[in-house]
Amino acid sequence: MFESASLKHHVDKAVYKREAAKLRQGLLDAQYALKEHGRFPVLILIAGVEGAGKSETVNLLNEWMDPRHIHTSAFFDPSDEERERPSLWRFWRALPPKGRIGIFFGAWHTMPILNRVMGEIGEGEFAREIGEIQRFEKMLSDEGVLLLKYWFHLSRGQQRKRIKELAGDPKTRWRVADRDLEYLKLYKKFVKVCDPFLRKTSTGECPWIVVPGADPRHRTLTVARHLLASMRERLDEKPLKRVPDRSPPMPAPSDRLNVLRALDLDQPMTRAEYEKELEKWQGRLNVASRDPRLAKTAVVAVFEGNDAAGKGGAIRRVTSALDARCYANVSIAAPSEDERAQPYLWRFWRHLPRNGRFTFFDRSWYGRVLVERVEGFCSEADWQRAYTEINDFEGAMLRHGTVVVKFWLSVSKEEQFRRFKAREKVSFKRFKITAEDWRNRKKWDAYETAVCDMVDRTSTSLAPWTLVEANNKYHARIKVLKTLCRALEDRLDNVRKAGAGKRGRKK
Amino acid sequence: MFESASLKHHVDKAVYKREAAKLRQGLLDAQYALKEHGRFPVLILIAGVEGAGKSETVNLLNEWMDPRHIHTSAFFDPSDEERERPSLWRFWRALPPKGRIGIFFGAWHTMPILNRVMGEIGEGEFAREIGEIQRFEKMLSDEGVLLLKYWFHLSRGQQRKRIKELAGDPKTRWRVADRDLEYLKLYKKFVKVCDPFLRKTSTGECPWIVVPGADPRHRTLTVARHLLASMRERLDEKPLKRVPDRSPPMPAPSDRLNVLRALDLDQPMTRAEYEKELEKWQGRLNVASRDPRLAKTAVVAVFEGNDAAGKGGAIRRVTSALDARCYANVSIAAPSEDERAQPYLWRFWRHLPRNGRFTFFDRSWYGRVLVERVEGFCSEADWQRAYTEINDFEGAMLRHGTVVVKFWLSVSKEEQFRRFKAREKVSFKRFKITAEDWRNRKKWDAYETAVCDMVDRTSTSLAPWTLVEANNKYHARIKVLKTLCRALEDRLDNVRKAGAGKRGRKK
């Protein structure tokens, strides 16, 4: 990857001056065109070796364009807030919205590369990280992000020279950290890790652009020209009327049986039994939630289900067992303007809890493969790719150590009808039943198919779907409480075992 | 992935009969439409647990459709021919051309899954294989292949029952191998490996379709319906006039320096020096090529270069040092009809040598990122994705143990002019110079950019580009011979070391 960039590139002052003036105007024009009618965000990753002019380039882009519409994020050591969430969270929260430019100084590639160079992770873990990054960047590209990845390169000799110059000058000495000198020693290893990394994470849509870093004028022109050409290409592109669909159709059911119909929705439970069980499980949940070992674990619970299946009621029975300071309820309806300006999953990432906290989602990211699929709010290609994206999203939570529990509350068509009618009769419940509910009901079968596909494609061993028979609300609420409680208790057991294991190893 | 498929699905005989007749007609119609004007091939992967009706389904598809236009390939133990080439070779050679249907009974997923279940490979190697498969299937899809992946599933109870039934009946006993009984014991482990595998290799474009295997009628309808719907969707799709381009432009050079201009093309060598060197290096090459340790290694050498740079002459100096039975010359020009009906890389895969053989490519798969890019013979998206595809192609050779050597023979624009003129004067060389050569010359700068991008993006540590200064033919030929010879000698050294290591371990 570094053949061209290792040459002694050079641009004359006169050439630079002439060219720079034009590029500057062009970039400013492009930035305003993007802001006016750009239907996409621009995300610029700045990466590469130390001393290759990364910060100079970032400063320059901010100088040449209107810095009010550029958001630059530098990712050094993560904050507490960030450390207590999945590692991608800090990048999601910094994503630029449509019409804006975001510059990421370091990004999701930084830690895997460093960890591999330092020998903290093996080839296997590195291969897994590369796979995650491939899929993450494909998702950004599929969501319309113009992702431009610049890798600033210096040959070993150039890097040594540059760092010595900085260190020798009192005015710039502060910029040379001990770490930089250490990296210089690791140069060969670094290149050996980065070269295949850049290759594997370079795709047609998101290639790495290697920028020779030694000559400032050459470096600036390279980035500015490419950035301008890329923005112009996308700005001038006529939007396609029809999104090309490469996805084969989902299989049609071949008999009447499916995971929902296989349920016996009418589970017996009397009020008396319910009250006894409720007390028992709320008590156990409360004890588990206050266990100090849970302080290092976040809990995410997803509630999906038919309209009027009792999602809200079930959530209330859970939260009433918890300290109000430790949980948040997130109710998902139509996305806000801010949310529409971001990739689909952004509005869920933003609500992920810190360690020690619970978040209950009343409807969730599964909307993409349920309501959006059935109602045609997104293209078929969009909801089909969403299964992989959702698995990766939850995979990121699980790797962070988050407990993920997912409920589908299922009522029969007849029971739903009874509840709709009942709601219409009780004045204070009337707000809960709308024309839309009746409309959705007409698409019962399409929703059923969507739910079954969702269960098949997103029920993983660590984040399985729990299907809850909900014709009897008592049964449904107890099953939810029990499942959640046991998931927490399992985690506590594992923490204890892992702790014991660690202590064991220390001997 | 297996929630729905583990249920006790069932289709009535009457329903089946009615439906099957319709599907049969529909599939036959679709097959003929594909044959008449289908611009794509259909590739059906049949995978999953033993005893779930895979062969029954394959037989049935052949019965329902016209079997003359279906090619079924079963991949059991690889042949000698196959074992002596990269593992993907057997799949490439069996790919269906445009307009045809291919059925693969087992495919590239089989060995990674088995090896993981049996503990022959670790999680890391498995993650790497998954990454390869993701990129390989994306390439097939990008090349227009309709890839349909069916995974036949049985629950553990269903599998046990089925195998016992087969084993109990003398007529079917032969179909139960000892291996099947062994797999039954491994069921849980198998599912634990397959579930995440199916998830990670399911994308919007190439999802796995899980087929419940227990009920033959249900199973048949599931596959037949999905196959028909998928073929119809693609057949009825109006081709897009404009291929959407998500690739940002390649960076423009910012000064006049590049890896070609950095060469000093006029390297000195007299005829006398040349003849001495020629004898020396041809002798060494001959000795290396006859070394018995090379019997387990294939050698692939790629010759690219400017028109009239002396590729043919260099190849002849190499081959005249070799036993004519051990090498093949492949000269790449416009693709044949057969080759145009296949994914781009097919025509190169078909020429890969067996172990112990050499293949010399006079022009190669790099045509995609050279002539096809410059002349606009393929879309920008196509040549941009080709860098990754080529890296994966050569990566497959390297992992197989093939020695890969790549030469770019570089002459100056002036030297090329001199040679063109000289060729025009010598009657027996006149065939070597055409109007096209003069036309290409006008695009000198565009070719130069393409060559530099190619070197940057495909020069890897194990398969680097050797840039050959070729204004002096003597120098060029010797550099080629020397480089190839040293690559072989390095390999022999490594074989010796590895051999010593192995013997060492045996103690």
Side-chain angles (χ1 to χ4, degrees), chain B residues 112-130:
Chain B
I113 288 176
L114 275 187
N115 285 338
R116 183 69 198 113
V117 170
M118 300 303 183
E120 308 255 321
I121 59 173
E123 271 304 310
E125 175 64 9
F126 194 50
R128 196 194 55 70
E129 299 256 25
I130 287 173

Side-chain angles (χ1 to χ4, degrees), chain B residues 81 114 142 152 165 261 269 351 368 406 428-429 487:
Chain B
E81 281 269 323
L114 275 187
D142 283 340
F152 290 71
E165 276 169 14
R261 296 217 186 100
M269 183 170 288
H351 289 300
R368 193 86 187 225
K406 307 186 291 200
F428 71 87
K429 282 191 177 174

Side-chain angles (χ1 to χ4, degrees), chain A residues 140-203:
Chain A
L140 289 179
S141 166
D142 284 340
E143 292 279 330
V145 176
L146 177 58
L147 177 61
L148 300 171
K149 309 188 290 186
Y150 298 106
W151 185 273
F152 289 73
H153 181 77
L154 289 180
S155 69
R156 196 168 176 219
Q158 287 167 340
Q159 194 185 26
R160 187 187 299 117
K161 190 167 157 246
R162 159 102 185 190
I163 288 181
K164 285 207 171 145
E165 275 169 13
L166 287 177
D169 183 342
K171 274 185 291 186
T172 54
R173 194 175 295 150
W174 60 275
R175 288 179 51 194
V176 182
D178 290 347
R179 216 171 45 178
D180 296 334
L181 296 169
E182 194 187 319
Y183 287 169
L184 188 57
K185 284 185 206 150
L186 291 168
Y187 185 89
K188 267 198 180 166
K189 209 166 176 187
F190 192 70
V191 165
K192 213 179 148 190
V193 168
C194 292
D195 185 273
F197 178 87
L198 293 196
R199 257 171 236 295
K200 284 184 182 154
T201 55
S202 276
T203 55

Side-chain angles (χ1 to χ4, degrees), chain B residues 142-361:
Chain B
D142 283 340
E143 292 279 329
V145 177
L146 177 58
L147 177 62
L148 300 171
K149 308 187 292 187
Y150 297 108
W151 185 274
F152 290 71
H153 181 77
L154 289 179
S155 69
R156 192 163 180 225
Q158 286 166 342
Q159 194 185 26
R160 187 188 297 117
K161 192 168 156 246
R162 160 101 185 190
I163 287 180
K164 285 206 171 147
E165 276 169 14
L166 287 176
D169 183 342
K171 274 185 293 187
T172 54
R173 194 175 296 148
W174 60 274
R175 288 180 50 194
V176 182
D178 290 347
R179 215 171 45 177
D180 296 335
L181 297 169
E182 194 186 321
Y183 286 169
L184 187 57
K185 284 184 208 152
L186 291 168
Y187 185 88
K188 268 198 181 168
K189 209 166 177 186
F190 192 72
V191 165
K192 213 178 149 191
V193 168
C194 292
D195 185 273
F197 178 86
L198 293 196
R199 257 172 237 295
K200 285 186 182 154
T201 55
S202 277
T203 55
E205 298 81 18
C206 309
W208 278 102
I209 307 300
V210 179
V211 180
D215 182 76
R217 289 194 289 262
H218 183 276
R219 179 177 75 207
T220 304
L221 289 193
T222 302
V223 174
R225 276 179 183 170
H226 185 261
L227 174 59
L228 178 57
S230 304
M231 286 177 67
R232 279 264 68 108
E233 186 182 76
R234 185 69 72 88
L235 286 166
D236 300 342
E237 191 181 65
K238 268 190 262 170
L240 286 172
K241 275 183 203 154
R242 191 161 55 89
V243 183
D245 177 18
R246 284 248 168 239
S247 311
M250 295 290 277
S254 296
D255 62 6
R256 297 281 301 161
L257 184 64
N258 62 38
V259 289
L260 294 180
R261 296 217 186 100
L263 299 173
D264 180 359
L265 297 179
D266 295 294
Q267 297 288 327
M269 183 170 288
T270 63
R271 179 163 191 122
E273 285 169 327
Y274 167 66
E275 282 175 353
K276 209 176 122 202
E277 290 282 295
L278 186 68
E279 200 184 324
K280 171 181 164 191
W281 288 104
Q282 284 189 332
R284 264 173 78 165
L285 180 61
N286 184 267
V287 170
S289 76
R290 287 185 292 108
D291 192 300
R293 286 166 296 174
L294 211 67
K296 290 195 174 166
T297 304
V299 181
V300 167
V302 170
F303 290 80
E304 295 279 357
N306 303 108
D307 288 326
K311 293 185 291 292
I315 294 174
R316 274 196 304 280
R317 270 44 174 211
V318 171
T319 53
S320 68
L322 299 173
D323 181 338
R325 287 164 300 183
C326 82
Y327 71 85
N329 281 328
V330 179
S331 184
I332 298 297
S336 69
E337 198 184 331
D338 278 0
E339 290 170 339
R340 283 195 306 273
Q342 292 283 359
Y344 177 72
L345 286 173
W346 186 82
R347 62 195 187 115
F348 309 106
W349 271 96
R350 72 192 300 201
H351 289 300
L352 289 194
R354 296 180 62 169
N355 288 347
R357 312 282 175 94
F358 292 67
T359 299
F360 300 100
F361 285 92

Side-chain angles (χ1 to χ4, degrees), chain A residues 10 208 225-226 249 253 457, chain B residues 10 208 225-226 249 253 255 457:
Chain A
H10 177 71
W208 278 101
R225 276 179 183 170
H226 185 261
R457 293 189 179 269
Chain B
H10 177 71
W208 278 102
R225 276 179 183 170
H226 185 261
D255 62 6
R457 293 188 179 269

